[in-house]
Every structure is written in structure tokens, then in C-alpha cells.
Amino acid sequence: MTARPEQPVSHRRRTTRRRALVAGVSALGITGAAIVTTSMLSTAGAASSWPSDTGSKPVSKTVPVSGTYDGGMKKFYGTGALGGDGQDEGQDPVFELADGATLKNVIIGTPAADGVHCKGSCTLQNVWWLDVGEDAASFKGKSSSAQYKVIGGGAKKADDKVLQFNGAGTLTVSGFRVEDFGKLVRSCGNCKTQYKRTIVLKDIDVVAPGKSLVGINTNYGDTATLSQIRIQGDSKKKIKTCTRYQGNNTGKEPKDLGSGADEKYCKFSSSDITYN
């Protein structure tokens, strides 16, 4: 069933910057990934409320993660070189995950810099972003078999994109909550190297305001499958569901080709999207 057409939205990134973190917090660098035994994962769908942290950790240098890093629900925030909270391109992340790594039970506060980078397949489990910086997470693996999984958690206050899909493979987001955002997921529209990307969104709570759930590039064969999407506070249905673009590798703004279900690239029916 084809959804009604939706109004186009610009892919261009905003340049506004949010308020910087209150000065005076001492910086304590974290130099590596630590494994702790705390297990605080939610297992039953998207959370209805935001978690409280168990303490705060300033991060002045990107934390490399291989294997599993369990943050014990501490709040991590950038300081020093990671103290930016704007939309400037090329910022460093708070966490960088090696191929196959898992990051779980983490709250990322503000400043959030460029959030989390995945260099290959990765799992983000019960990770929360309180005030998204450049992006919440970016997925950069080069293999078509790469699997990126975002399980539980949530993000809010994203000027533009929440999850940036630059690499190849499949991104699956489930049990996630997003509030006050630009785009929940965007397949890179103008990266120098482009890939076919597969996106799956299921069991997602969406709270307006927001612009778009997912943007894909049909000319590279991208697909997006949506199910169990619950949208709150959008009675006029202004939030786009799935937007199709003509991507490029030249850095130009990608062409907006329209949005809504089409059974080929944007795969869902009207019953997969509910409004409250």
C-alpha cells in the first residue's frame, strides 16, 4: 500500500551550535576500553522514559573499543579536543569501535562531539544520547556483509542526523526511542565512496518534532524496511517516513526523488506506522 506523498526536506546540514558545557569541570582522560560486569539492558521494546546516569566521566580523547565495553550507565561527555557540540564536519567521536565490537549501557551527554564511530560490524546496546552533536553514531564498514545493530537506547536533540550510514552492509535499529530530531537514519547522499545499503527499522518510538525517519539512495540500490513505528505528537503527519534520493559521489546535494512507501526501495504498509 502506497503512502501519500510527503513534502521534501533539505539534506543540507544546519550550522547552528548548541550551548557549550558549563566551564569548570576537570578533564579526566579515558585511554582505553574497560570491561565491567554491570548488565542493565532493557529487553522489551523501546523505552518509555530516559535513564538516569550512575555517575559522569569526562572524555578528552577518543575511547577505542574492541570486544565489549560496558559503561555501567555512566554518562560520558567530551572535553578538551572533544568539547564541541556543533554541526562541524570531521569531528572525532567519543567512542570508536573496531570491527565486531560492542558498546553497551552508556549515556552520552553534552558535549557529544561526533558520538560513536563503527569501523566495521558493531553492536550498540542500550546506548543513549542526551544531546546529539554532529551525529549520534556513524557506520563506516566497507564490507557488504557488515552488520550494524542498534538495540534499545535512544537519542534526542539532533539538529540533523542521528544515525549516519556511510559504509556498506546492513543497519538494523530496534527498540529505539528518538525525540526532537532531523533525520533518524541517513544513507550518505554524497560520500566519495558509495555502496548499496540496507536499513531495517522496527519497534521505534518517535516523538515530534522531527523531519524524516530514513533517507536512502535508490540509484545505489538502497532499501529501507519499516515496521512497528509509533509516532507521537505529529497529528498533521509532517514527519517523513522514507525519503528516496539520487545520491552521488561528488559532494553535491543529492536530488530528492520523493517519499513514502513504494514496495521496492521503501518497504512498509500504512499499518506499520501508527500515530498517537
Side-chain angles (χ1 to χ4, degrees), residues 12-96:
R12 190 173 303 277
R13 182 181 295 278
R14 297 186 197 176
T15 58
T16 57
R17 298 178 65 89
R18 288 183 294 275
R19 189 183 309 168
L21 183 69
V22 176
V25 180
S26 60
L28 299 175
I30 300 176
T31 58
I35 299 176
V36 299
T37 58
T38 308
S39 178
M40 303 177 180
L41 303 180
S42 58
T43 59
S48 60
S49 61
W50 295 82
S52 299
D53 64 74
T54 59
S56 296
K57 283 186 175 291
V59 180
S60 60
K61 183 179 179 181
T62 298
V63 179
V65 178
S66 58
T68 297
Y69 187 110
D70 187 329
M73 295 308 291
K74 288 186 172 62
K75 180 171 67 178
F76 298 79
Y77 61 89
T79 187
L82 295 179
D85 65 348
Q87 295 296 303
D88 298 337
E89 296 283 357
Q91 295 183 54
D92 289 331
V94 177
F95 293 95
E96 184 176 73

Side-chain angles (χ1 to χ4, degrees), residues 95-163:
F95 293 95
E96 184 176 73
L97 277 59
D99 187 20
T102 294
L103 179 69
K104 63 182 182 179
N105 298 327
V106 163
I107 298 173
I108 297 179
T110 182
D114 201 26
V116 178
H117 287 184
C118 286
K119 298 175 70 175
S121 295
C122 69
T123 299
L124 306 181
Q125 201 164 10
N126 201 36
V127 177
W128 299 82
W129 292 264
L130 301 182
D131 192 340
V132 175
E134 183 182 351
D135 300 311
S138 300
F139 306 97
K140 301 186 173 189
K142 298 179 180 180
S143 171
S144 61
S145 62
Q147 295 284 331
Y148 317 95
K149 298 179 180 180
V150 178
I151 304 170
K156 57 184 175 180
K157 299 182 182 179
D159 279 354
D160 192 17
K161 297 178 290 294
V162 177
L163 304 175

Side-chain angles (χ1 to χ4, degrees), residues 233-253:
D234 186 30
S235 59
K236 295 184 178 180
K237 299 183 180 180
K238 292 184 177 181
I239 297 176
K240 292 185 177 184
T241 51
C242 178
T243 305
R244 299 178 295 279
Y245 293 94
Q246 180 176 323
N248 64 74
N249 60 1
T250 64
K252 295 181 179 180
E253 263 328 278

